[in-house]
Amino acid sequence: MSKLLSLLTLAVIASAAFAQKPKDISLSAPNKTGGKSIMQTLSDRHSDREFDSKELTLQDISDLLWAANGVNRPDGKRTAPSAMNKQDVDIYVLTKDGAYRYDASAHVLKGITTGDHRALISSSRSSQTSSTPPVGLVLVSDLSKFGPNASDKAFQMGALDAGIVSQNINLFCSGKGFATVPRMSMDVDGLKKTLGLSDSQVPMLNNPVGYPKK
Ligand SMILES: Cc1cc2nc3c(=O)[nH]c(=O)nc-3n(C[C@H](O)[C@H](O)[C@H](O)COP(=O)(O)O)c2cc1C
């Protein structure tokens, strides 16, 4: 009887765990037209910490992620350069519905867990953000891409690579009229747990993204 109960409990836990994983979302091809000129984009770039409640469309998210770190050449290289082309930076996407990982080669959002986890990037200093962004992007460097033994040099390369991805996001937002701010402050332990990160995967920066508050 107790064996049967344990089995039933396990089945309930397993089905709950399964139910917590959102479906993958296939993104349509990025729209590479439009936006401001590069000089106007640089001229307008600034940090915004307040967001309108208007949701981004899936096309906006497709364009944003491709601009941030998408594949832009047949050989699989990216819109963001990376040290030794290790492509160590993964973008995790937090929305009101769940958390996803951007699979750049497939241009797909891979479901990780359901629920609204955007508060994990709204702690401490970043609580200056007075409105919740529709989308939170967390830039995670996998330091194991630089070799088995994590070193200061590997951390430096991972942090620099994440900084470049963040700047792609900053410029995309400036050029297309979205609001964002690069932030180091976030609940790193909470993110590691929620996103199921390994010890070598380090959340380096985050960029909340939304429409500017009217
Ligand atoms: C590496 C880095 C970390 C940052 N971390 C935070 C942060 O945790 N919270 C925040 O509100 N802004 C953060 N910022 C944004 C800066 O405060 C902002 O870029 C700076 O005040 C200049 O303003 P501007 O971006 O409008 O030019 C960070 C910027 C960088 C480059």
PDB file of all heavy atoms in Angstrom, residues 45-47 49 125-126 128 181-185 205, ligand 1:
ATOM      1  N   ARG A  45      20.281  56.726 -28.125  1.00  0.00           N
ATOM      2  CA  ARG A  45      20.462  55.659 -27.130  1.00  0.00           C
ATOM      3  C   ARG A  45      20.529  56.230 -25.720  1.00  0.00           C
ATOM      4  O   ARG A  45      21.252  57.155 -25.426  1.00  0.00           O
ATOM      5  CB  ARG A  45      21.770  54.901 -27.444  1.00  0.00           C
ATOM      6  CG  ARG A  45      21.829  53.474 -27.033  1.00  0.00           C
ATOM      7  CD  ARG A  45      22.273  53.169 -25.588  1.00  0.00           C
ATOM      8  NE  ARG A  45      23.249  54.054 -24.995  1.00  0.00           N
ATOM      9  CZ  ARG A  45      23.270  54.339 -23.685  1.00  0.00           C
ATOM     10  NH1 ARG A  45      22.388  53.826 -22.858  1.00  0.00           N
ATOM     11  NH2 ARG A  45      24.179  55.163 -23.209  1.00  0.00           N
ATOM     12  N   HIS A  46      19.716  55.688 -24.840  1.00  0.00           N
ATOM     13  CA  HIS A  46      19.718  56.086 -23.422  1.00  0.00           C
ATOM     14  C   HIS A  46      19.048  54.980 -22.622  1.00  0.00           C
ATOM     15  O   HIS A  46      18.325  54.150 -23.180  1.00  0.00           O
ATOM     16  CB  HIS A  46      18.963  57.411 -23.223  1.00  0.00           C
ATOM     17  CG  HIS A  46      17.504  57.290 -23.504  1.00  0.00           C
ATOM     18  ND1 HIS A  46      16.982  57.280 -24.781  1.00  0.00           N
ATOM     19  CD2 HIS A  46      16.440  57.109 -22.678  1.00  0.00           C
ATOM     20  CE1 HIS A  46      15.668  57.116 -24.740  1.00  0.00           C
ATOM     21  NE2 HIS A  46      15.309  57.004 -23.467  1.00  0.00           N
ATOM     22  N   SER A  47      19.289  54.965 -21.296  1.00  0.00           N
ATOM     23  CA  SER A  47      18.631  53.973 -20.442  1.00  0.00           C
ATOM     24  C   SER A  47      17.258  54.465 -20.028  1.00  0.00           C
ATOM     25  O   SER A  47      17.093  55.635 -19.668  1.00  0.00           O
ATOM     26  CB  SER A  47      19.484  53.703 -19.193  1.00  0.00           C
ATOM     27  OG  SER A  47      20.682  53.059 -19.554  1.00  0.00           O
ATOM     28  N   ARG A  49      14.005  53.273 -17.515  1.00  0.00           N
ATOM     29  CA  ARG A  49      13.654  52.332 -16.445  1.00  0.00           C
ATOM     30  C   ARG A  49      12.148  52.244 -16.229  1.00  0.00           C
ATOM     31  O   ARG A  49      11.688  51.622 -15.284  1.00  0.00           O
ATOM     32  CB  ARG A  49      14.360  52.717 -15.141  1.00  0.00           C
ATOM     33  CG  ARG A  49      15.873  52.579 -15.239  1.00  0.00           C
ATOM     34  CD  ARG A  49      16.595  53.047 -13.997  1.00  0.00           C
ATOM     35  NE  ARG A  49      18.044  52.872 -14.113  1.00  0.00           N
ATOM     36  CZ  ARG A  49      18.864  53.690 -14.775  1.00  0.00           C
ATOM     37  NH1 ARG A  49      18.387  54.763 -15.388  1.00  0.00           N
ATOM     38  NH2 ARG A  49      20.164  53.451 -14.823  1.00  0.00           N
ATOM     39  N   ARG A 125      19.014  47.579  -6.687  1.00  0.00           N
ATOM     40  CA  ARG A 125      19.158  48.862  -7.375  1.00  0.00           C
ATOM     41  C   ARG A 125      18.157  49.016  -8.521  1.00  0.00           C
ATOM     42  O   ARG A 125      17.645  50.088  -8.801  1.00  0.00           O
ATOM     43  CB  ARG A 125      20.579  48.985  -7.918  1.00  0.00           C
ATOM     44  CG  ARG A 125      21.035  50.420  -8.018  1.00  0.00           C
ATOM     45  CD  ARG A 125      22.404  50.498  -8.632  1.00  0.00           C
ATOM     46  NE  ARG A 125      22.426  51.661  -9.505  1.00  0.00           N
ATOM     47  CZ  ARG A 125      23.145  51.754 -10.586  1.00  0.00           C
ATOM     48  NH1 ARG A 125      23.921  50.778 -10.963  1.00  0.00           N
ATOM     49  NH2 ARG A 125      23.100  52.848 -11.303  1.00  0.00           N
ATOM     50  N   SER A 126      17.876  47.885  -9.146  1.00  0.00           N
ATOM     51  CA  SER A 126      16.990  47.974 -10.301  1.00  0.00           C
ATOM     52  C   SER A 126      15.541  48.181  -9.877  1.00  0.00           C
ATOM     53  O   SER A 126      14.673  48.305 -10.710  1.00  0.00           O
ATOM     54  CB  SER A 126      17.122  46.742 -11.182  1.00  0.00           C
ATOM     55  OG  SER A 126      16.845  45.590 -10.443  1.00  0.00           O
ATOM     56  N   GLN A 128      14.608  50.691  -8.951  1.00  0.00           N
ATOM     57  CA  GLN A 128      14.323  52.035  -9.489  1.00  0.00           C
ATOM     58  C   GLN A 128      13.304  51.919 -10.621  1.00  0.00           C
ATOM     59  O   GLN A 128      12.654  52.871 -10.991  1.00  0.00           O
ATOM     60  CB  GLN A 128      15.595  52.657 -10.075  1.00  0.00           C
ATOM     61  CG  GLN A 128      16.637  53.026  -9.051  1.00  0.00           C
ATOM     62  CD  GLN A 128      17.983  53.287  -9.722  1.00  0.00           C
ATOM     63  OE1 GLN A 128      18.118  53.248 -10.936  1.00  0.00           O
ATOM     64  NE2 GLN A 128      18.977  53.577  -8.913  1.00  0.00           N
ATOM     65  N   VAL A 181      17.265  49.119 -20.350  1.00  0.00           N
ATOM     66  CA  VAL A 181      18.424  49.548 -19.561  1.00  0.00           C
ATOM     67  C   VAL A 181      19.257  48.289 -19.297  1.00  0.00           C
ATOM     68  O   VAL A 181      18.695  47.239 -18.991  1.00  0.00           O
ATOM     69  CB  VAL A 181      17.992  50.223 -18.222  1.00  0.00           C
ATOM     70  CG1 VAL A 181      17.048  49.350 -17.418  1.00  0.00           C
ATOM     71  CG2 VAL A 181      19.206  50.590 -17.365  1.00  0.00           C
ATOM     72  N   PRO A 182      20.593  48.390 -19.456  1.00  0.00           N
ATOM     73  CA  PRO A 182      21.419  47.238 -19.081  1.00  0.00           C
ATOM     74  C   PRO A 182      21.578  47.241 -17.568  1.00  0.00           C
ATOM     75  O   PRO A 182      21.816  48.299 -16.980  1.00  0.00           O
ATOM     76  CB  PRO A 182      22.760  47.529 -19.773  1.00  0.00           C
ATOM     77  CG  PRO A 182      22.827  49.023 -19.875  1.00  0.00           C
ATOM     78  CD  PRO A 182      21.406  49.524 -19.946  1.00  0.00           C
ATOM     79  N   ARG A 183      21.454  46.063 -16.933  1.00  0.00           N
ATOM     80  CA  ARG A 183      21.555  46.040 -15.462  1.00  0.00           C
ATOM     81  C   ARG A 183      22.348  44.830 -14.985  1.00  0.00           C
ATOM     82  O   ARG A 183      22.148  43.720 -15.475  1.00  0.00           O
ATOM     83  CB  ARG A 183      20.159  45.946 -14.830  1.00  0.00           C
ATOM     84  CG  ARG A 183      19.267  47.107 -15.148  1.00  0.00           C
ATOM     85  CD  ARG A 183      18.022  47.101 -14.309  1.00  0.00           C
ATOM     86  NE  ARG A 183      17.234  45.896 -14.449  1.00  0.00           N
ATOM     87  CZ  ARG A 183      15.901  45.874 -14.367  1.00  0.00           C
ATOM     88  NH1 ARG A 183      15.232  46.991 -14.132  1.00  0.00           N
ATOM     89  NH2 ARG A 183      15.247  44.747 -14.487  1.00  0.00           N
ATOM     90  N   MET A 184      23.210  45.087 -14.002  1.00  0.00           N
ATOM     91  CA  MET A 184      23.881  43.964 -13.345  1.00  0.00           C
ATOM     92  C   MET A 184      23.081  43.475 -12.159  1.00  0.00           C
ATOM     93  O   MET A 184      23.211  42.334 -11.742  1.00  0.00           O
ATOM     94  CB  MET A 184      25.274  44.394 -12.878  1.00  0.00           C
ATOM     95  CG  MET A 184      26.307  44.378 -13.989  1.00  0.00           C
ATOM     96  SD  MET A 184      27.917  44.839 -13.391  1.00  0.00           S
ATOM     97  CE  MET A 184      28.341  43.384 -12.443  1.00  0.00           C
ATOM     98  N   SER A 185      22.290  44.379 -11.558  1.00  0.00           N
ATOM     99  CA  SER A 185      21.561  43.973 -10.360  1.00  0.00           C
ATOM    100  C   SER A 185      20.430  43.025 -10.733  1.00  0.00           C
ATOM    101  O   SER A 185      19.655  43.300 -11.665  1.00  0.00           O
ATOM    102  CB  SER A 185      21.034  45.197  -9.608  1.00  0.00           C
ATOM    103  OG  SER A 185      20.251  45.965 -10.473  1.00  0.00           O
ATOM    104  N   LEU A 205      24.256  39.962 -17.016  1.00  0.00           N
ATOM    105  CA  LEU A 205      23.522  41.228 -17.184  1.00  0.00           C
ATOM    106  C   LEU A 205      22.076  40.904 -17.509  1.00  0.00           C
ATOM    107  O   LEU A 205      21.769  39.791 -17.952  1.00  0.00           O
ATOM    108  CB  LEU A 205      24.072  41.995 -18.391  1.00  0.00           C
ATOM    109  CG  LEU A 205      25.309  42.863 -18.264  1.00  0.00           C
ATOM    110  CD1 LEU A 205      25.765  43.296 -19.663  1.00  0.00           C
ATOM    111  CD2 LEU A 205      25.019  44.099 -17.434  1.00  0.00           C
TER     112      LEU A 205
HETATM  113  C1  LIG B   1      27.689  47.014 -16.823  1.00  0.00           C
HETATM  114  C2  LIG B   1      26.516  47.893 -16.469  1.00  0.00           C
HETATM  115  C3  LIG B   1      25.761  47.590 -15.359  1.00  0.00           C
HETATM  116  C4  LIG B   1      24.636  48.381 -15.036  1.00  0.00           C
HETATM  117  N1  LIG B   1      23.868  48.003 -13.982  1.00  0.00           N
HETATM  118  C5  LIG B   1      22.752  48.730 -13.693  1.00  0.00           C
HETATM  119  C6  LIG B   1      21.878  48.319 -12.648  1.00  0.00           C
HETATM  120  O1  LIG B   1      22.111  47.316 -11.997  1.00  0.00           O
HETATM  121  N2  LIG B   1      20.761  49.059 -12.415  1.00  0.00           N
HETATM  122  C7  LIG B   1      20.474  50.167 -13.148  1.00  0.00           C
HETATM  123  O2  LIG B   1      19.457  50.802 -12.868  1.00  0.00           O
HETATM  124  N3  LIG B   1      21.270  50.583 -14.164  1.00  0.00           N
HETATM  125  C8  LIG B   1      22.400  49.885 -14.449  1.00  0.00           C
HETATM  126  N4  LIG B   1      23.207  50.262 -15.502  1.00  0.00           N
HETATM  127  C9  LIG B   1      22.829  51.411 -16.338  1.00  0.00           C
HETATM  128  C10 LIG B   1      23.667  52.646 -16.019  1.00  0.00           C
HETATM  129  O3  LIG B   1      23.305  53.148 -14.752  1.00  0.00           O
HETATM  130  C11 LIG B   1      23.456  53.677 -17.131  1.00  0.00           C
HETATM  131  O4  LIG B   1      23.922  53.150 -18.345  1.00  0.00           O
HETATM  132  C12 LIG B   1      24.197  54.952 -16.797  1.00  0.00           C
HETATM  133  O5  LIG B   1      23.575  55.617 -15.729  1.00  0.00           O
HETATM  134  C13 LIG B   1      24.287  55.897 -17.979  1.00  0.00           C
HETATM  135  O6  LIG B   1      22.986  56.234 -18.426  1.00  0.00           O
HETATM  136  P1  LIG B   1      22.578  56.009 -19.947  1.00  0.00           P
HETATM  137  O7  LIG B   1      22.553  54.515 -20.199  1.00  0.00           O
HETATM  138  O8  LIG B   1      21.203  56.607 -20.111  1.00  0.00           O
HETATM  139  O9  LIG B   1      23.606  56.670 -20.789  1.00  0.00           O
HETATM  140  C14 LIG B   1      24.323  49.501 -15.826  1.00  0.00           C
HETATM  141  C15 LIG B   1      25.103  49.800 -16.952  1.00  0.00           C
HETATM  142  C16 LIG B   1      26.174  49.003 -17.285  1.00  0.00           C
HETATM  143  C17 LIG B   1      26.983  49.340 -18.525  1.00  0.00           C
END
